[in-house]
Amino acid sequence: MCSRQPSGGRSKYQKKHPEWRCKVDSKKSGCDCRIVIKLYHHTPTILGRYEEEHSHKVGLANLAYMRMSHVAREEIRSMLELKIDCREIVCK
């Protein structure tokens, strides 16, 4: 599932102050890109389907919306401190 696709259904969380609004809008856009894998315990068959069409820009234009592990973030930070070119970091 694309990180810009909402998941989990409606939240059961009740806001203490529903009149308060977030300063930053949601990054969720309803993207349909996903991988569906079905396993059946009674047979060795595995079925899969990949929907590759995104409803938003991908690549560098989508970088601000991507999830990144803390380890990867620190590795990128250290490479930038070593003055490694940004394009070389993105290619790795």
Side-chain angles (χ1 to χ4, degrees):
M1 181 178 303
C2 179
S3 65
R4 296 198 50 190
Q5 169 64 28
S7 64
R10 296 189 64 101
S11 175
K12 296 174 185 159
Y13 173 72
Q14 296 291 323
K15 292 184 177 183
K16 292 181 182 178
H17 301 280
E19 68 278 4
W20 291 2
R21 299 287 174 227
C22 292
K23 293 180 183 176
V24 179
D25 289 334
S26 173
K27 296 173 184 159
K28 302 298 182 185
S29 65
C31 182
D32 290 327
C33 181
R34 64 180 44 103
I35 297 174
V36 177
I37 298 173
K38 293 184 179 182
L39 304 171
Y40 300 96
H41 57 82
H42 64 280
T43 179
T45 303
I46 300 172
L47 299 177
R49 186 177 76 221
Y50 176 52
E51 300 286 337
E52 64 179 303
E53 292 298 317
H54 289 272
S55 62
H56 55 88
K57 293 181 181 180
V58 294
L60 290 177
N62 192 45
L63 191 59
Y65 304 106
M66 293 175 59
R67 296 177 184 151
M68 189 180 304
S69 71
H70 182 70
V71 173
R73 190 179 306 271
E74 289 303 314
E75 188 174 330
I76 291 169
R77 184 186 318 272
S78 66
M79 286 191 273
L80 289 171
E81 289 172 353
L82 293 171
K83 307 288 189 219
I84 297 174
D85 186 52
C86 298
R87 289 171 290 212
E88 187 177 335
I89 293 172
V90 173
C91 291
K92 288 187 177 188

